Amino acid sequence: MPPARPVWEMLRNYPGPSVAGIDADVDMLVALSYCEYSGDLPRLLWEGRSQGTASAAQLKELDTRHAQATALCARLSDSDYALRTEILRLHARAGNVDAQLHFQYVGPTGRHGPEGFAGVPQSDAQLAAWYQEVLGYAKQALVEEPLPAVSTLAWLYDAGPSVPPAPAYAVHDPAEGHAYRILLARMVRHPHAMADFMQREVARLPPDQVARGQARAEAIAQGLAAQLTAQGKDLPRGLLGPAAVPATATPHQPPVPSPFAAQ
């Protein structure tokens, strides 16, 4: 949804990222994200007109949205968009699990496009550090939100961050991805479906990666279980394997929407 007023006006009164100012930070993040994603409207308009892929009504709607975004998002610079990354980084470092799990979506500069990261150019070392930061926050989230964190890590190791990655620094690791996929399957699937899942996993990976992934899954599960137990928290359903799921286990409930999800 578009912000209620021009984003440059919001920036003029914005005090900057603050752990205590999460409401203002979320408002700023959502407004900047609206502008960032509205940057794709000119391309959609051009494709719709030149290729005939949009109806007259769709083109009119795109034109309206483009005019609105142009008015709301004028005067923004790369440093303004970089606030998206700064806001989530501050709250992720402070231990906010939602920020930790959503950090990958803003990229290292707050901007991205179909060809990769936009905004201020990043060196190879800066990109590599950002990828590790994405992974680090997802791992920190494991204790507070095991299921979404396991799901995020399975995705990261299988496919990389959700913004277009630089191929040389993708975090692709099939064996590690397999480990988190095993844990995710344990936590969300019925125990009787695990054999079918493992059969498909074995078919898609070389034997050495399957073996390493299975060993890592057990190590990760045991380590996480120890952390949760030390903090007096309940173990997630299926974390230690289908055999460890009590007959009376409570099914996992959908998580409450994140305040950062709209960005």
Side-chain angles (χ1 to χ4, degrees):
M1 296 296 293
R5 57 197 177 105
V7 181
W8 65 266
E9 287 186 5
M10 296 176 64
L11 284 165
R12 183 174 58 188
N13 300 316
Y14 177 58
S18 165
V19 172
I22 188 170
D23 291 340
D25 287 348
V26 171
D27 288 344
M28 194 74 255
L29 182 66
V30 170
L32 288 169
S33 295
Y34 164 83
C35 293
E36 167 64 9
Y37 290 109
S38 294
D40 204 35
L41 289 173
R43 180 186 63 80
L44 295 175
L45 275 167
W46 179 84
E47 288 180 353
R49 289 195 176 106
S50 64
Q51 300 176 16
T53 56
S55 66
Q58 289 172 326
L59 289 173
K60 182 177 180 180
E61 180 188 359
L62 285 172
D63 265 324
T64 301
R65 289 171 55 195
H66 184 220
Q68 184 180 41
T70 299
L72 290 170
C73 302
R75 309 185 191 182
L76 297 183
S77 65
D78 283 347
S79 62
D80 294 329
Y81 283 106
L83 274 173
R84 297 176 72 226
T85 303
E86 292 177 24
I87 289 169
L88 281 185
R89 176 177 283 126
L90 176 76
H91 290 281
R93 287 178 174 173
N96 185 294
V97 179
D98 292 330
Q100 290 170 342
L101 293 176
H102 286 83
F103 183 75
Q104 61 167 307
Y105 296 106
V106 296
T109 65
R111 308 205 71 178
H112 52 84
E115 301 303 322
F117 303 125
V120 179
Q122 300 287 288
S123 69
D124 289 349
Q126 287 172 318
L127 285 175
W130 181 76
Y131 284 114
Q132 293 307 311
E133 190 176 10
V134 168
L135 281 176
Y137 291 146
K139 290 177 180 178
Q140 289 175 40
L142 279 168
V143 174
E144 296 299 327
E145 292 287 353
L147 180 57
V150 164
S151 177
T152 296
L153 286 160
W155 164 260
L156 288 172
Y157 281 115
D158 265 354
S162 294
V163 292
Y169 295 100
V171 294
H172 183 64
D173 185 329
E176 199 74 0
H178 178 48
Y180 283 103
R181 282 169 59 82
I182 290 173
L183 297 183
L184 181 61
R186 286 179 181 176
M187 296 163 75
V188 300
R189 292 173 181 263
H190 190 280
H192 298 306
M194 280 300 296
D196 179 61
F197 166 78
M198 290 303 299
Q199 186 176 11
R200 292 198 303 273
E201 286 289 282
V202 168
R204 81 183 185 98
L205 294 171
D208 65 314
Q209 292 180 358
V210 170
R212 283 193 287 123
Q214 290 175 339
R216 281 289 296 143
E218 299 311 320
I220 294 166
Q222 292 294 335
L224 179 56
Q227 286 183 282
L228 292 170
T229 300
Q231 296 186 22
K233 298 177 184 242
D234 293 334
L235 300 189
R237 172 187 180 274
L239 175 65
L240 297 177
V245 180
T248 57
T250 304
H252 176 75
Q253 299 298 316
V256 176
S258 160
F260 293 109
Q263 65 82 29

